[in-house]
Amino acid sequence: MRAYAVKFGEDPEVWGLAGLLHDFDWEIHPDLMGHPLKGAPLLRERGVPEDIVRSILSHGSAPGLPPRETKMDKALSAVDELTGLITACVLVRPSRSLHDLTPKSVRGKWKDKAFAAAINRAEN
Ligand SMILES: [Fe+2]
């Protein structure tokens, strides 16, 4: 998120915070109807800026959540899927380590639609 913020001329602190917080309530509301909708009030109570709350809401999939409109909204959803793919790539490596995972390997797995098929490669 921080890298995309820099790429798009936005604040990496804000985008990074959105990335860190986006799934904060998953253990409280571990279903797609509750997360992140039911977590948003907790963020607001703690003073999280509304643009971050809105982006977090937009990455959810329950009906009635705000659409992905801003660059931060779209980056958050895309990076969420990408980090899931990277995690899956790590888990099938003999080392099970991120340290020896290469971008080339991730790109190869990206093209293999059967690998980590739950990852939505069209997310934006
Ligand atoms: Fe999420």
Side-chain angles (χ1 to χ4, degrees):
M1 284 300 290
R2 293 177 60 86
Y4 276 116
V6 171
K7 178 177 179 158
F8 292 124
E10 301 290 339
D11 185 342
E13 294 296 320
V14 172
W15 285 39
L17 187 57
L20 284 173
L21 291 175
H22 84 283
D23 276 343
F24 85 97
D25 71 329
W26 183 252
E27 292 180 358
I28 304 168
H29 313 112
D31 63 86
L32 296 177
M33 297 307 286
H35 162 78
L37 184 61
K38 292 180 181 174
L42 298 172
L43 294 173
R44 290 183 176 116
E45 286 170 17
R46 287 157 176 80
V48 174
E50 190 57 32
D51 61 334
I52 294 176
V53 175
R54 194 198 170 289
S55 280
I56 290 171
L57 283 168
S58 77
H59 99 280
S61 38
L65 292 175
R68 295 172 195 143
E69 293 176 335
T70 69
K71 286 181 183 175
M72 185 164 68
D73 297 346
K74 294 174 183 178
L76 183 60
S77 293
V79 170
D80 195 12
E81 296 298 318
L82 179 59
T83 54
L85 179 68
I86 290 170
T87 300
C89 290
V90 166
L91 293 176
V92 298
R93 297 186 67 74
S95 67
R96 297 178 66 89
S97 172
L98 187 62
H99 296 290
D100 59 359
L101 180 67
T102 64
K104 181 180 179 184
S105 175
V106 175
R107 283 192 296 271
K109 296 295 189 188
W110 176 273
K111 293 174 187 169
D112 178 1
K113 304 295 186 214
F115 178 78
I119 302 294
N120 183 354
R121 288 154 169 85
E123 197 72 72
N124 64 25

